[in-house]
Amino acid sequence: NRIFIIYIMNHYEQQKDIELIDKIKDDNYVAFEVLFNRYKGKVFYFIVDVSCGDYYMAEEIVQQVFVKLWEIRKSLNITRTVSAYLYTMAKNYFFNAVAQKCQEQIFLKRILDEEGKKEVTVDSEVDFNLLWEDWESIIEKLPPARRNVYRMHYIEHFSQKDIAERLNISENTVEAHIRLSNQFVKQNLRKRYDNLLN
C-alpha cells in the first residue's frame, strides 16, 4: 500500500495545479497532500515577508489556508491561478490577524486606561475575554441570512463578490447585510461598553 501511495503521489506531482484541484473536489486527499507540499513553503515565506519576519504567524496562516481549502473543496471555483488563489487566502488571513491584534490592543488599552493601570493584569485579560464573548453573542442575534454574510466576510475572510457568488445573491445585497450588521454590532457593543467605545 505504501509503495502504491508513493507511486500515486509521484504521478500527481507531475500534474498541473488545476488538475489537482479537480481531484481534491472529488475528496482525493493524496492530491490535496501533493498540492499542500507544493505550496506550503511558498505561502509560508509569503507571510513571513509581508509580516516582517513573523514565523509563528506564518505557520498559523499556512495551516488555516489549507484547512480552509479542504473544508470548501466541494465549492471551489478558481478563476485565476491556484497560486494566486492561495496567496489571496493567505493575505486575507494575514489582514484579519493584524486587525484582530490591533483590536485586542485597543480594547485592552482602553480597559487599562479606565482602570488607571500601567500593565496588563489577569483582571484586564478576563475583561477582554468577556467583551469578546459579548461580541460573539451579539452576532448570534443577527437574522440568519445577515449573520451568515457577516461571518463569511469577517471570520471566514470571503470578499463581497465571493459571498454573492456562493449565496447566489447580488453584491448590493451582500453590502447591505454587512452595513446593517456592522450598525447592529456597534450599537449593541456601545450599550454594554459605552465608556470604552466612545
Side-chain angles (χ1 to χ4, degrees):
N1 287 341
R2 179 62 180 170
I3 294 175
F4 178 72
I5 292 174
I6 293 174
Y7 169 78
I8 292 296
M9 290 189 71
N10 289 336
H11 175 66
Y12 285 178
E13 285 170 359
Q14 307 303 316
Q15 297 190 355
K16 297 179 180 179
D17 292 347
I18 200 65
E19 294 174 322
L20 294 175
I21 290 293
D22 287 338
K23 289 180 171 59
I24 290 169
K25 291 165 90 170
D26 290 330
D27 301 330
N28 189 317
Y29 192 79
V30 177
F32 173 78
E33 188 173 352
V34 170
L35 191 74
F36 173 73
N37 289 333
R38 184 175 293 178
Y39 280 104
K40 63 180 180 181
K42 295 177 181 178
V43 173
F44 177 83
Y45 284 107
F46 169 70
I47 297 300
V48 167
D49 184 43
V50 298
S51 67
C52 299
D54 192 329
Y55 288 86
Y56 176 78
M57 179 185 288
E59 290 177 359
E60 290 289 309
I61 289 178
V62 167
Q63 294 300 317
Q64 290 172 337
V65 165
F66 285 98
V67 166
K68 188 64 182 178
L69 184 73
W70 180 254
E71 288 177 349
I72 64 174
R73 63 191 181 280
K74 294 293 188 181
S75 58
L76 283 173
N77 181 25
I78 300 176
T79 56
R80 298 179 294 166
T81 63
V82 173
S83 60
Y85 187 87
L86 293 173
Y87 288 140
T88 298
M89 287 180 69
K91 181 180 65 177
N92 289 339
Y93 276 113
F94 168 72
F95 285 148
N96 183 71
V98 171
Q100 183 170 325
K101 282 187 176 183
C102 291
Q103 195 173 32
E104 289 176 0
Q105 290 173 1
I106 290 170
F107 280 137
L108 285 173
K109 181 179 183 302
R110 288 176 177 173
I111 289 170
L112 294 178
D113 288 345
E114 286 295 318
E115 296 176 352
K117 296 178 181 178
K118 296 182 179 179
E119 60 183 17
V120 175
T121 66
V122 173
D123 288 340
S124 67
E125 290 175 353
V126 170
D127 287 340
F128 173 75
N129 289 334
L130 290 174
L131 188 146
W132 203 257
E133 289 174 7
D134 284 341
W135 177 70
E136 287 281 0
S137 69
I138 290 169
I139 294 173
E140 287 301 313
K141 293 179 181 178
L142 290 165
R146 195 164 296 164
R147 179 173 66 242
N148 189 29
V149 169
Y150 186 90
R151 286 189 173 278
M152 288 180 73
H153 187 62
Y154 288 107
I155 298 176
E156 299 181 51
H157 323 295
F158 288 111
S159 68
Q160 292 186 23
K161 182 179 179 181
D162 287 338
I163 295 171
E165 290 177 352
R166 290 173 184 278
L167 300 182
N168 196 26
I169 57 180
S170 70
E171 287 189 55
N172 287 338
T173 300
V174 172
E175 184 180 359
H177 277 315
I178 292 172
R179 185 181 70 255
L180 293 171
S181 297
N182 279 331
Q183 291 174 358
F184 179 82
V185 170
K186 288 179 181 178
Q187 287 170 1
N188 280 270
L189 277 176
R190 286 186 182 281
K191 289 177 183 178
R192 303 184 191 193
Y193 299 92
D194 188 58
N195 62 323
L196 299 180
L197 299 174
N198 286 331

